[in-house]
Amino acid sequence: MFTANMEEKRSSKVTIKDIKEDIVKAMLKYIYTGKIEGLGDDQFHRLFYAADKYDLKELKDVCFKNMSANIDTENALELLILADQHNATKLRNKKEFEDQPGWLDNMMKSHPKMLAEMFKCA
């Protein structure tokens, strides 16, 4: 990026349009320090997206541990969809999803194909 004749080289600047500033800062802090501070549980899915995009496996694992420890009725469907979008089979196959009331009905209505794949894996 900075060696080829690209805009980033000319401007000495990289623009990241699909990740919010606080998440980019958290990602960079993790890269340099190995620590994640000041993020709420609801922000880990955004950090997981960034870690997947930039192939930061260790950071993805940290996010996975946080997200899987905090599965509840409010976020179960969102986490299943996120896991599917980023091929996070460990997260997608967590038994905790089955313990959430109403998750099956929500999945049948909104993501029947993903639900079929989950049962195929089981």
Side-chain angles (χ1 to χ4, degrees):
M1 184 181 306
F2 289 107
T3 57
N5 190 22
M6 297 179 76
E7 177 62 31
E8 290 84 1
K9 180 181 179 184
R10 289 189 293 273
S11 68
S12 296
K13 182 172 138 181
V14 175
T15 303
I16 301 173
K17 295 180 180 180
D18 59 337
I19 303 171
K20 292 185 177 187
E21 183 180 346
D22 60 333
I23 301 302
V24 172
K25 285 180 180 180
M27 179 178 67
L28 290 172
K29 183 171 182 124
Y30 183 83
I31 290 169
Y32 286 104
T33 68
K35 297 177 184 176
I36 299 174
E37 297 170 346
L39 282 186
D41 289 339
D42 60 325
Q43 293 174 300
F44 274 90
H45 68 280
R46 292 187 197 104
L47 187 57
F48 183 82
Y49 168 84
D52 185 53
K53 179 178 180 176
Y54 293 104
D55 198 27
L56 302 170
K57 290 178 175 66
E58 202 174 289
L59 181 56
K60 261 181 91 169
D61 287 344
V62 170
C63 293
F64 164 77
K65 286 176 186 169
N66 179 279
M67 291 185 302
S68 63
N70 293 298
I71 295 172
D72 61 27
T73 306
E74 299 296 318
N75 67 10
L77 182 59
E78 181 181 358
L79 290 178
L80 275 171
I81 294 166
L82 181 72
D84 187 62
Q85 289 172 338
H86 297 283
N87 201 27
T89 53
K90 280 194 243 176
L91 181 59
R92 192 173 63 204
N93 295 331
K94 293 291 287 182
K95 184 186 176 325
E96 288 85 349
F97 287 113
E98 297 171 14
D99 297 335
Q100 301 305 317
W103 80 273
L104 187 58
D105 291 334
N106 288 335
M107 285 297 293
M108 286 181 0
K109 290 176 189 168
S110 60
H111 293 84
K113 185 178 178 183
M114 186 170 65
L115 184 62
E117 288 177 24
M118 286 174 59
F119 281 109
K120 224 186 304 182
C121 293

